[in-house]
């Protein structure tokens, strides 16, 4: 798949098969991720990989509980109350792999660099037939001092992108996007 086709056809995947992603493939994806542009060449990224389905499910339940408990603090999440109350709903889409991209806050650019890294991984995964989804719901539970201690993430690192990965159950059509808002276009 060429890069333009990859960009045009990549979608967020929310239904995965049980086929596992190999360690070799994940290491290759992370290696491609860190080829991303990086401010001042600081390369502030770091990663945690979870491929234990029981742990991913436990983290989903913990995340749902946290979100329900804090809905008043985040009114934009109110629209998800029904999902979060549904026992069958998985924050992490029942994926077999959860990849967490952290950034070292010593770098001013950590959030940008981590996001660029995530985009590389998403595109590379799509080109390999692997689906991905950025899971914004994970930002609170997966960035706590307790979680980071268990997963050896240094205190100075902040979660940038919680991402599920897996082989998609279905082929999805390209997503529709609004026309870009171009605020200015000056020519000589």
């Amino acid at each position: 798949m060429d890069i333009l086709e990859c960009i045009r056809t990549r979608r967020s995947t929310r239904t995965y098969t049980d086929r596992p992603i190999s360690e070799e493939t994940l290491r290759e994806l992370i290696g491609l991720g860190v080829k991303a542009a990086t401010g001042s060449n600081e390369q502030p990224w770091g990663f945690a990989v979870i491929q234990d389905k029981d742990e991913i499910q436990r983290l989903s339940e913990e995340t749902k509980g946290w979100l329900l408990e804090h809905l008043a603090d985040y009114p934009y999440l109110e629209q998800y109350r029904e999902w979060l109350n549904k026992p069958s709903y998985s924050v992490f889409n029942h994926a077999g792999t959860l990849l967490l991209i952290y950034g070292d806050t010593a770098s001013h650019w950590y959030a940008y660099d981590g996001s660029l890294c995530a985009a590389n991984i998403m595109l590379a995964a799509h080109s390999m037939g692997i689906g991905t989804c950025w899971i914004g719901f994970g930002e609170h539970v997966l960035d706590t001092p307790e979680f980071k201690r268990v997963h050896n993430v240094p205190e100075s690192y902040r979660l940038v992108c919680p991402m599920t990965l897996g082989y998609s159950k279905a082929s999805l059509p390209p997503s529709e996007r609004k026309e870009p808002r171009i605020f200015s276009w000056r020519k000589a």
Side-chain angles (χ1 to χ4, degrees):
M1 175 182 305
D2 82 346
I3 189 66
L4 298 180
E5 183 66 16
C6 190
I7 292 169
R8 286 186 187 112
T9 61
R10 194 216 65 82
R11 292 268 323 239
S12 292
T13 300
R14 293 179 178 87
T15 58
Y16 301 105
T17 68
D18 288 331
R19 180 179 165 196
I21 299 174
S22 71
E23 180 177 336
E24 177 184 356
T25 298
L26 282 169
R27 287 187 182 280
E28 181 178 10
L29 288 170
I30 292 168
L32 292 165
V34 301
K35 298 290 186 189
T38 173
S40 300
N41 197 30
E42 290 184 357
Q43 304 179 47
W45 35 62
F47 306 88
V49 179
I50 302 172
Q51 290 190 291
D52 179 330
K53 284 198 104 164
D54 291 336
E55 183 176 0
I56 293 170
Q57 181 59 34
R58 184 190 63 71
L59 290 167
S60 175
E61 293 304 314
E62 184 178 341
T63 301
K64 284 170 35 175
W66 190 96
L67 290 168
L68 285 167
E69 188 177 314
H70 293 88
L71 279 180
D73 301 328
Y74 303 95
Y76 62 91
L77 293 175
E78 182 61 42
Q79 65 184 317
Y80 302 109
R81 181 183 293 277
E82 187 177 331
W83 289 7
L84 296 169
N85 276 310
K86 198 182 276 187
S88 62
Y89 174 68
S90 169
V91 170
F92 303 113
N93 302 313
H94 303 286
T97 300
L98 182 57
L99 173 63
L100 308 173
I101 302 172
Y102 291 87
D104 188 345
T105 59
S107 168
H108 171 77
W109 316 110
Y110 81 92
Y112 307 115
D113 292 355
S115 296
L116 289 166
C117 177
N120 270 15
I121 290 170
M122 290 175 160
L123 289 170
H126 178 57
S127 77
M128 296 175 182
I130 296 169
T132 61
C133 189
W134 186 310
I135 307 294
F137 284 167
E139 70 180 319
H140 302 287
V141 170
L142 305 174
D143 205 30
T144 64
E146 300 79 25
F147 181 88
K148 292 196 285 191
R149 194 170 25 261
V150 168
H151 293 277
N152 301 312
V153 178
E155 285 182 34
S156 66
Y157 281 70
R158 293 281 323 266
L159 182 63
V160 175
C161 175
M163 181 190 308
T164 56
L165 294 97
Y167 293 95
S168 181
K169 280 188 177 180
S171 178
L172 301 170
S175 58
E176 297 294 322
R177 293 291 189 246
K178 298 175 187 176
E179 281 296 314
R181 290 181 207 98
I182 300 173
F183 298 114
S184 179
W185 192 312
R186 296 182 182 192
K187 294 183 179 184

